[in-house]
Amino acid sequence: MKIVYANVLLVFLILSSSFLEISMAGSAFCDSKCKGRCAKAELKHRCLKFCGICCKKCNCVPSGTYGNKDECPCYRDMKNSKGKGKCP
């Protein structure tokens, strides 16, 4: 019985580590895309924060430092509580 439990635990650990690698890869993608997107922003910290939130939810970031939001409809259509665009 202990061997079965140990095998199940080992499989769980292997699977959870692979999911962690995938989520970290997504984070690296968003970080690099948002750095480019926010390169010319006046409030860079704020831009990076909201860009990161939008990127993680939409899995895309429009090219360039401004505009081009039609490339990513999810990013374009996210709104804040006041009904204005959330993503920079």
Side-chain angles (χ1 to χ4, degrees):
M1 188 67 170
K2 289 183 180 181
I3 294 173
V4 173
Y5 178 72
N7 285 336
V8 170
L9 182 62
L10 182 63
V11 169
F12 175 76
L13 289 173
I14 291 170
L15 289 175
S16 64
S17 69
S18 64
F19 287 124
L20 180 63
E21 288 177 26
I22 291 169
S23 67
M24 289 178 73
S27 177
F29 168 79
C30 288
D31 289 348
S32 66
K33 290 289 189 177
C34 288
K35 273 186 184 176
R37 183 77 179 168
C38 298
K40 295 183 179 180
E42 288 182 29
L43 301 173
K44 195 169 286 201
H45 177 69
R46 189 174 190 190
C47 180
L48 288 170
K49 175 185 174 184
F50 287 109
C51 180
I53 291 168
C54 296
C55 177
K56 286 175 186 159
K57 193 163 195 173
C58 298
N59 295 319
C60 65
V61 174
S63 62
T65 56
Y66 185 79
N68 303 322
K69 289 187 178 180
D70 288 333
E71 294 175 2
C72 184
C74 170
Y75 191 96
R76 176 194 65 210
D77 296 338
M78 284 184 73
K79 305 289 183 207
N80 63 18
S81 60
K82 296 178 183 174
K84 295 186 177 186
K86 180 174 192 158
C87 307

